[in-house]
Amino acid sequence: MTAAAHLREGAGDPPAAVRRNLTHARTVLTRAAHHTQGLLAKLPGPAERSVEQREAAAAATDAARTLRAVFMDTHADAVYDELTENRSRCLSLAELAEAAASAFPGLVPTADQLKAERSVVQADKEGLEIDQGIFFSRLLRSPTAGRHLIESLLRPTPRALALLAEFRATGSADLGSVRIERTDGVAHLTMCRDDCLNAEDNRQIDDMETAVDLALLDPEVEVCLLRGGVMTHPRYRGRRVFSAGINLKSLHAGEISLVDFLLRRELGYIHKIVRGIRSQDGDDWRTPVTEKPWVAVVDTFAIGGGAQLLLVFDHVVAASDAYFSLPAAKEGIIPGAAALRLVRAAGTRLSRQVILEGRRIWAAEPEARLLVDEVHETEDLDHAVERSLERFRAPAVVPNRRMLHLAEESVDDFRCYMAEFAHQQSLRLYSADVLDKVGRFSAVR
């Protein structure tokens, strides 16, 4: 019998079997996953499979994912409690995924499996990150596990804690793709990927979260400012650029990960800008988070993820020749939490035009005032920024911004959105249209 025939025949237990007690369900899931993995290993890589082999592989993979989804629908809280020792440990997304791969074999890919996947371009992958999408979507759907996970991800990262003493002493840190400098109570965060117009990849996500943590942890910082640095890119040499969004070269090369980029970005540094950073001591009767006001300055453009960022800032100052766009639908992916926040800021009609049709909004247009607070000529930006920073030093700004965020977007609203985002974004990464774009992009490189 051919490998394709074996795959069609399948050997997994029906979904009802994983609805039983956790011990039995774990065994059933592991056995089914190992069977499917073994049979897939006998086939050529995804790009070289025949039509019959692709259909058989899809059928077997779908069956295995159905089991995983039913397993998590039934046991999400029990799984999370086991991984976090009854919610006494706060794990990062990557740590949680790694722990799940060890404790529940076959539920999510192992580190070695992901390493092998990352060694090939996007079109040649099996799509193992979809299993991570299923896992995290079900955790986030749970009011118990999901709430704890979101709060855990507001903790400072180990990297930031290790750098904090030096940053407090010197007032500066060069993190690679982001620089942070403290001057007169202002934390100046500068995105400095001058070679790629501040396009985000896994590396920049880590650097940004570290910088946000340092700004929030340093008691001398009163207000935070984010701006793009001066570019060396030939087309924009000598000009400041805010952000070109996701790094498409990295996406097409298969180097943008679901966990370390797409989920960590939203649940990590962006959510910390919104909610603040949680203290290590959760028993303090005082407010358990440290928040600060955030101001953004947009030079040239804020594309994709750059435009998404503006939706969480307290104040946005833009150059008169800047523009904003969210071309995620054209790229084939979902623009983070923009659908949640842009509708609130700009209304449904304009949001559909921007997200679904790719409309570009120029700072000089009246509609831009739904996205930015001030528009100035480039030569006047610095003075306008200084004035806004001074206004946000007022002591009552922080508690009032907290109440505004609670009114605009509850933690549970965000949690439910991110649950669906985790699932849908993982599917988009391996959808036929995205893989087709990947193939055409690779062909012309």
Side-chain angles (χ1 to χ4, degrees):
M1 184 181 291
T2 66
H6 273 298
L7 284 166
R8 282 195 303 271
E9 185 177 275
D13 293 62
V18 295
R19 291 193 178 98
R20 296 170 60 182
N21 67 75
L22 184 59
T23 300
H24 178 76
R26 186 188 331 232
T27 300
V28 170
L29 178 68
T30 299
R31 183 168 63 243
H34 285 174
H35 176 80
T36 302
Q37 291 165 9
L39 292 174
L40 287 173
K42 297 176 183 179
L43 296 177
E48 285 77 43
R49 289 171 188 166
S50 67
V51 173
E52 180 190 20
Q53 289 170 333
R54 289 178 186 176
E55 290 176 350
T61 301
D62 285 349
R65 286 183 177 144
T66 296
L67 284 182
R68 293 185 182 103
V70 174
F71 176 88
M72 286 300 297
D73 285 339
T74 307
H75 303 291
D77 284 341
V79 168
Y80 189 76
D81 282 351
E82 180 172 331
L83 298 178
T84 60
E85 297 178 13
N86 293 319
R87 302 189 298 283
S88 66
R89 300 174 61 207
C90 294
L91 301 180
S92 70
L93 293 169
E95 290 169 338
L96 198 56
E98 185 176 354
S102 175
F104 298 91
L107 180 58
V108 292
T110 65
D112 287 342
Q113 289 173 322
L114 288 171
K115 183 179 180 180
E117 278 266 279
R118 292 191 183 113
S119 68
V120 297
V121 296
Q122 196 77 359
D124 289 340
K125 296 183 180 184
E126 292 284 2
L128 300 181
E129 288 178 303
I130 295 175
D131 301 320
Q132 292 181 322
I134 293 170
F135 173 71
F136 282 110
S137 72
R138 270 56 182 185
L139 289 184
L140 288 165
R141 283 181 190 176
S142 163
T144 302
R147 185 70 179 246
H148 185 271
L149 174 57
I150 283 178
E151 291 180 353
S152 295
L153 297 174
L154 293 179
R155 299 277 183 167
T157 63
R159 183 185 179 196
L161 292 173
L163 293 172
L164 181 59
E166 182 179 356
F167 175 69
R168 291 192 62 186
T170 64
S172 66
D174 188 339
L175 304 172
S177 59
V178 182
R179 293 191 304 269
I180 177 171
E181 296 178 278
R182 184 189 65 241
T183 305
D184 297 328
V186 178
H188 296 261
L189 281 68
T190 304
M191 297 178 286
C192 50
R193 291 293 298 276
D194 56 309
D195 59 324
C196 62
L197 305 178
N198 289 327
E200 288 187 303
D201 53 19
N202 285 17
R203 165 192 166 190
Q204 185 150 338
I205 297 305
D206 185 66
D207 291 346
M208 278 293 293
E209 184 163 10
T210 303
V212 168
D213 283 356
L214 290 173
L216 291 171
L217 288 167
D218 185 351
E220 293 186 44
V221 170
E222 299 175 67
V223 60
C224 310
L225 176 72
L226 179 66
R227 193 173 189 179
V230 177
M231 299 292 104
T232 60
H233 188 283
R235 190 172 178 181
Y236 297 94
R237 189 182 304 277
R239 295 177 59 185
R240 285 183 180 268
V241 168
F242 190 72
S243 174
I246 192 170
N247 191 314
L248 292 176
K249 288 185 178 180
S250 296
L251 174 65
H252 297 152
E255 297 169 356
I256 295 294
S257 70
L258 178 70
V259 169
D260 291 325
F261 183 106
L262 295 165
L263 293 182
R264 181 180 176 184
R265 182 177 187 272
E266 304 299 327
L267 293 164
Y269 87 83
I270 295 181
H271 197 221
K272 287 175 176 176
I273 290 173
V274 176
R275 304 285 178 194
I277 198 167
R278 290 190 67 85
S279 64
Q280 295 287 27
D281 184 2
D283 296 327
D284 195 330
W285 64 268
R286 301 170 183 84
T287 302
V289 294
T290 299
E291 294 182 49
K292 291 172 185 177
W294 287 85
V295 176
V297 186
V298 181
D299 300 271
T300 311
F301 53 68
I303 299 174
Q308 295 168 35
L309 270 176
L310 303 182
L311 298 172
V312 302
F313 276 74
D314 299 299
H315 196 77
V316 179
V317 183
S320 58
D321 61 348
Y323 69 85
F324 318 91
S325 66
L326 284 167
K330 181 179 178 181
E331 295 163 355
I333 57 175
I334 298 169
L340 176 66
R341 293 166 178 151
L342 185 61
V343 168
R344 183 180 68 233
T348 56
R349 293 266 58 89
L350 184 59
S351 296
R352 282 178 168 81
Q353 293 168 21
V354 171
I355 294 176
L356 302 182
E357 301 178 43
R359 176 178 169 180
R360 181 179 291 184
I361 305 293
W362 289 88
E365 293 183 60
E367 289 87 348
R369 294 309 297 267
L370 299 171
L371 304 175
V372 305
D373 299 282
E374 299 181 54
V375 178
H376 298 276
E377 297 301 318
T378 301
E379 60 269 22
D380 298 327
L381 276 181
D382 290 345
H383 290 302
V385 169
E386 289 302 319
R387 290 193 298 270
S388 66
L389 291 173
E390 197 59 37
R391 290 196 301 272
F392 279 88
R393 293 176 187 268
V397 165
V398 169
N400 276 287
R401 82 184 290 276
R402 179 177 300 134
M403 302 313 293
L404 284 169
H405 281 306
L406 287 173
E408 291 171 344
E409 177 185 303
S410 73
V411 175
D412 281 336
D413 285 343
F414 177 66
R415 174 182 59 79
C416 291
Y417 180 94
M418 288 306 301
E420 188 63 19
F421 172 82
H423 191 182
Q424 296 299 325
Q425 190 74 295
S426 69
L427 294 175
R428 292 308 307 158
L429 284 176
Y430 299 94
S431 60
D433 61 302
V434 171
L435 295 181
D436 179 62
K437 290 182 178 72
V438 169
R440 286 188 278 110
F441 180 86
S442 300
V444 300
R445 287 185 65 183

